[in-house]
Every structure is written in structure tokens, then in C-alpha cells.
Amino acid sequence: VQLQASGGGLVQAGKSLRLSCAASGIPYSVNSMGWYRQAPGKQREMVAVIRSGDVTNYADSVKGRFTISRDYAKKTLYLQMNSLKPEDTAVYSCNVEIRTPWSTINTHWGQGTQVTVSS
């Protein structure tokens, strides 16, 4: 399984960015895909997750500003980030939870992409 994240960068507060995560080599069904972030000196936190049936879940801090989506044909996960704030600065990583035929869940992570929001 490979996850390739891209789209990070340096932006001013109030601006937008869209992160992408291209997935390949997934052998079984996907239980969920998600975006997580880790700021310097802080623990990694969930940003947004999308599950079967396109059910989504967001951290309170990003609700109304960020939107997670999937393109099934392109096997790509997206995170549209609007109205960015300096506190959104972090390394953003994508993950995928895969349900195996014997009903276990395997979690895979992509490399992170840096998002820096200046005030």
C-alpha cells in the first residue's frame, strides 16, 4: 500500500489549500481514509475522516472550514482547507484503514506534507 500526499505549502491566513493523497496497491476493501496533522511539540490529531457511504467526521477546530472527499475512480483522497488560520500550521498526513478478509483492520500511513499559515 502506498499513499502519496501533496498540496502543502505556505499561505497567508484566510487563504485556501487543497491537499491530495493518491492511494495505490490497496488489496482489500477500504474501511476509512483520513487526514491527520501534527504541529511542533504537539500530538498527532485527527482532522477529518471519511468512511463507507461517504460518512464524514471532522475535528471541531476545522468544522465549517475543511472538507474531506474521495475520488473513487482516481483512488485519491482530498482535503479542501478554507479560511486557514495560523493554528492550522502542521504536517498533514493521510491514512487508510483496510479491512482484510479475516476481519482485521490494517492501517497504513503516507508521508506528511507541510502546511504553514502565516498571520
Side-chain angles (χ1 to χ4, degrees):
V1 177
Q2 289 191 333
L3 301 172
Q4 183 70 40
S6 61
L10 171 63
V11 295
Q12 292 183 325
K15 301 297 186 181
S16 299
L17 276 177
R18 188 176 80 155
L19 305 183
S20 300
C21 176
S24 62
I26 296 178
Y28 307 117
S29 62
V30 173
N31 191 56
S32 70
M33 295 188 75
W35 288 99
Y36 292 73
R37 67 186 181 187
Q38 186 167 20
K42 295 186 177 181
Q43 290 188 332
R44 183 167 60 193
E45 63 174 352
M46 185 274 290
V47 177
V49 173
I50 186 165
R51 308 182 189 281
S52 300
D54 288 342
V55 176
T56 57
N57 187 37
Y58 295 92
D60 288 342
S61 59
V62 306
K63 282 181 181 177
R65 300 188 298 123
F66 290 11
T67 302
I68 189 171
S69 62
R70 288 177 64 179
D71 183 323
Y72 289 84
K74 295 182 179 179
K75 299 181 181 178
T76 302
L77 178 72
Y78 300 101
L79 184 68
Q80 178 66 43
M81 305 186 294
N82 298 329
S83 303
L84 283 161
K85 304 176 181 180
E87 51 263 44
D88 294 319
T89 295
V91 175
Y92 286 70
S93 302
C94 56
N95 87 346
V96 60
E97 290 187 347
I98 298 171
R99 182 176 298 279
T100 69
W102 47 96
S103 298
T104 58
I105 299 293
N106 291 341
T107 302
H108 300 268
W109 292 89
Q111 94 293 353
T113 185
Q114 177 70 46
V115 172
T116 303
V117 185
S118 63
S119 57

